[in-house]
Amino acid sequence: MATPSNKNSKSHKRNRRGHIGLNVPNIVLDQATGEYRVSHRVSPSGAYNGKQVTENK
């Protein structure tokens, strides 16, 4: 069974885990509707790239 020969300090542990973090979604303000949306996705009103791609219900 693998066991550590020496104790890792807190700084070594944090250095190892430095790349692990939260991913922030890329939210942009839609110029046509004024709503916030995730980039490269259809807005809640159904518009994408300045065109209406889905019909509103």
Side-chain angles (χ1 to χ4, degrees):
M1 181 164 54
T3 57
S5 58
N6 294 322
K7 178 179 178 174
N8 283 334
S9 67
K10 292 176 185 175
S11 63
H12 281 276
K13 178 173 60 173
R14 291 172 184 156
N15 276 335
R16 187 177 67 244
R17 296 179 180 173
H19 69 282
I20 301 171
L22 296 174
N23 294 330
V24 180
N26 190 9
I27 297 177
V28 296
L29 182 64
D30 194 3
Q31 297 295 330
T33 60
E35 299 174 323
Y36 286 101
R37 64 173 176 83
V38 181
S39 64
H40 301 99
R41 301 291 190 276
V42 177
S43 69
S45 63
Y48 181 77
N49 200 16
K51 300 172 187 147
Q52 190 70 24
V53 294
T54 59
E55 55 187 47
N56 294 334
K57 293 182 180 179

